[in-house]
Amino acid sequence: MFPLSHPAVRWLEHNCHYQYMDELLQYIRFGLMDVDTLHTVALSHPLVQASETATALVNEALEYHQSIYAQPVWQTRRTKPRFQSDTLYIIGGKKREVCKVKELRYFNPVDQENALIAAIANWSELAPMPVGRSHHCVAVMGDFLFVAGGEVEHASGRTCAVRTACRYDPRSNSWAEIAPMKNCREHFVLGAMDEYLYAVGGRNELRQVLPTVEQYCPKKNKWTFVQSFDRSLSCHAGYVADGLLWISGGVTNTAQYQNRLMVYEPNQNKWISRSPMLQRRVYHSMAAVHRKLYVLGGNDLDYNNDRILVRHIDSYNIDTDQWTRCNFNLLTGQNESGLAVHNERIYLVGGYSIWTNEPLACIQVLDVSREGKEEVFYGPTLPFASNGIAACFLPAPYFTCPNLQTLQVPHHRIGTI
């Protein structure tokens, strides 16, 4: 993958352009070469042997390959392919006919001219997860996709929360197991801040609600407990913004629905309370665009303790610590949905309807790119109805997706309402 016999090196050798060698070698993606190529080609090439810069770059790449778990925090332009674009990925979930889903798919839109005519979305499959799971969490770090926890079906047919975690590399379309969490978790929150992942709350394999929080260090491939929440919490929402991990709503171990907003400060290892939400929410989603948090979907309880869908969208200003009810709503209620953010658009993916007791195949898109002209519309339809699904945006390398057309961000309005 990018061997030194590339025309760039032949150009160096032609007419003795050696004065440009150090500068040119900076653009060779040594980190994408496999170890055998680095040893047999790079280290044996006379140009490399004669250049301290080249030798240092090759050794950097070898160290990168040896430190498998630390690769997400060691990313540079020399370890990243030239991507075409970001695209939407969907991971796992729960179908009607199949309990847990292993599938990883990416959105490959039809060309823009025919999108509204075709009214279809192309979801292409990639390498599946090692095990099917739902109500898991995902996070992106260094263009790697991390998947942790969730509910897994065992051979006996019993389902329960797990502690296992894995990592997807879009460059090679492959999965690798990483260290398991200390607690089994489902219906929890996973966030990436700086060089760490944080897993917050959730339910364990005995369906006990957890107050614990743990931190994953890729360099050590190790999970460590950090400051716990002040109460047990599951079915909450979370998002990383302003270098902090924000947690909203959820339900306690005494079945108390919450409207609280809490924020974790990693440098001080402590939780801080902020202004509560305008209403209680569980099974909802939260996202940040600019310096505002948005809470979407979920449900609350009425005066008879019956569940009610929440279609209102509320926003929180990080600078003023103030909540505002938006003048636009979801088109339909969604619970247990996946969520992803791209280009000032929030994608609410799949989920569950308490009206029909069925999983959903819709994607609702909240466009907040123009203040005062925000809108909600339906995006492409999922390939199957699913709740407990996860979603994210990741670059799609051309060699992982050979049939990928020129990617366009999936915001064309298929089925606009």
Side-chain angles (χ1 to χ4, degrees):
M1 192 184 299
F2 215 131
L4 287 179
S5 57
H6 188 274
V9 175
R10 294 203 297 272
W11 179 82
L12 283 173
E13 295 172 329
H14 180 68
N15 288 338
C16 299
H17 290 118
Y18 298 124
Q19 69 269 31
Y20 303 111
M21 188 172 97
D22 286 356
E23 181 181 355
L24 183 61
L25 289 177
Q26 296 288 338
Y27 294 93
I28 295 180
R29 297 173 190 254
F30 289 99
L32 297 182
M33 299 181 189
D34 58 47
V35 174
D36 288 341
T37 300
L38 288 168
H39 279 301
T40 61
V41 178
L43 289 177
S44 64
H45 198 286
L47 283 179
V48 174
Q49 295 175 335
S51 168
E52 291 184 4
T53 299
T55 301
L57 290 171
V58 171
N59 288 334
E60 175 192 73
L62 288 170
E63 186 178 3
Y64 175 82
H65 282 293
Q66 290 167 1
S67 305
I68 295 173
Y69 298 111
Q71 288 178 2
V73 297
W74 284 6
Q75 294 286 70
T76 69
R77 70 181 182 186
R78 291 185 291 276
T79 63
K80 294 183 178 183
R82 293 175 175 84
F83 295 110
Q84 291 177 283
S85 176
D86 286 350
T87 190
L88 182 63
Y89 286 66
I90 54 173
I91 309 102
K94 182 178 179 181
K95 292 182 183 179
R96 291 189 188 92
E97 67 278 10
V98 179
C99 191
K100 309 299 173 190
V101 176
K102 290 184 178 181
E103 295 172 21
L104 171 69
R105 295 175 183 249
Y106 70 92
F107 181 69
N108 178 7
V110 292
D111 64 273
Q112 189 68 32
E113 291 182 4
N114 297 319
L116 295 178
I117 299 173
I120 60 171
N122 182 9
W123 294 93
S124 300
E125 289 192 51
L126 296 168
M129 288 188 292
V131 63
R133 61 182 83 202
S134 68
H135 303 95
H136 49 299
C137 286
V138 302
V140 174
M141 180 189 293
D143 291 337
F144 285 81
L145 167 64
F146 288 84
V147 179
E151 190 176 77
V152 168
E153 184 175 11
H154 298 283
S156 64
R158 177 175 173 266
T159 62
C160 68
V162 294
R163 69 182 79 236
T164 56
C166 52
R167 188 189 77 186
Y168 175 75
D169 186 344
R171 300 170 304 180
S172 58
N173 187 29
S174 62
W175 291 90
E177 298 283 347
I178 64 170
M181 296 182 291
K182 291 184 173 295
N183 288 145
C184 297
R185 299 178 190 269
E186 62 172 337
H187 291 292
F188 67 109
V189 163
L190 186 71
M193 287 191 291
D194 296 324
E195 297 183 351
Y196 301 96
L197 300 180
Y198 294 85
V200 182
R203 294 194 306 224
N204 66 12
E205 71 277 21
L206 302 177
R207 296 193 176 276
Q208 297 167 331
V209 182
L210 302 170
T212 57
V213 181
E214 43 189 306
Q215 175 197 75
Y216 175 72
C217 174
K219 291 180 180 178
K220 298 178 180 178
N221 188 33
K222 182 180 180 181
W223 293 87
T224 306
F225 284 120
V226 293
Q227 180 61 50
S228 293
F229 220 59
D230 65 351
R231 64 193 67 179
S232 300
L233 195 69
S234 72
C235 308
H236 45 299
Y239 204 80
V240 172
D242 198 31
L244 305 169
L245 177 58
W246 301 79
I247 300 292
S248 65
V251 61
T252 66
N253 57 341
T254 56
Q256 300 297 309
Y257 279 34
Q258 302 289 292
N259 69 343
R260 297 198 313 161
L261 177 68
M262 302 291 291
V263 60
Y264 178 71
E265 166 50 76
N267 294 329
Q268 301 180 43
N269 188 29
K270 70 176 184 180
W271 289 94
I272 302 168
S273 179
R274 295 295 189 221
S275 293
M277 293 188 294
L278 300 179
Q279 73 177 106
R280 303 171 301 181
R281 293 183 192 245
V282 301
Y283 299 114
H284 60 297
S285 300
M286 183 163 65
V289 177
H290 300 310
R291 296 188 61 78
K292 285 185 178 180
L293 301 177
Y294 294 85
V295 289
L296 310 92
N299 62 70
D300 192 1
L301 297 175
D302 63 15
Y303 295 110
N304 296 318
N305 271 345
D306 292 325
R307 289 192 301 167
I308 53 173
L309 280 173
V310 180
R311 290 178 52 205
H312 297 297
I313 299 173
D314 297 329
S315 69
Y316 171 82
N317 188 307
I318 292 175
D319 297 315
T320 63
D321 187 32
Q322 186 174 10
W323 286 93
T324 302
R325 176 138 292 172
C326 301
N327 57 11
F328 42 88
N329 298 327
L330 291 179
L331 304 175
T332 186
Q334 285 180 249
N335 301 270
E336 305 178 32
S337 303
L339 180 136
V341 178
H342 191 266
N343 282 358
E344 301 174 311
R345 289 178 167 87
I346 301 169
Y347 295 75
L348 197 60
V349 179
Y352 190 79
S353 171
I354 63 173
W355 285 343
T356 63
N357 290 324
E358 293 284 349
L360 298 169
C362 65
I363 296 177
Q364 293 188 72
V365 184
L366 168 58
D367 184 346
V368 293
S369 60
R370 297 180 297 169
E371 188 172 358
K373 296 184 178 180
E374 300 89 346
E375 58 180 334
V376 181
F377 53 87
Y378 285 113
T381 302
L382 291 173
F384 50 82
S386 178
N387 63 305
I389 192 172
C392 70
F393 275 87
L394 270 178
Y398 71 93
F399 51 80
T400 297
C401 314
N403 297 320
L404 197 61
Q405 303 170 34
T406 301
L407 276 175
Q408 299 164 20
V409 177
H411 62 241
H412 55 265
R413 303 176 187 181
I414 298 175
T416 301
I417 298 297

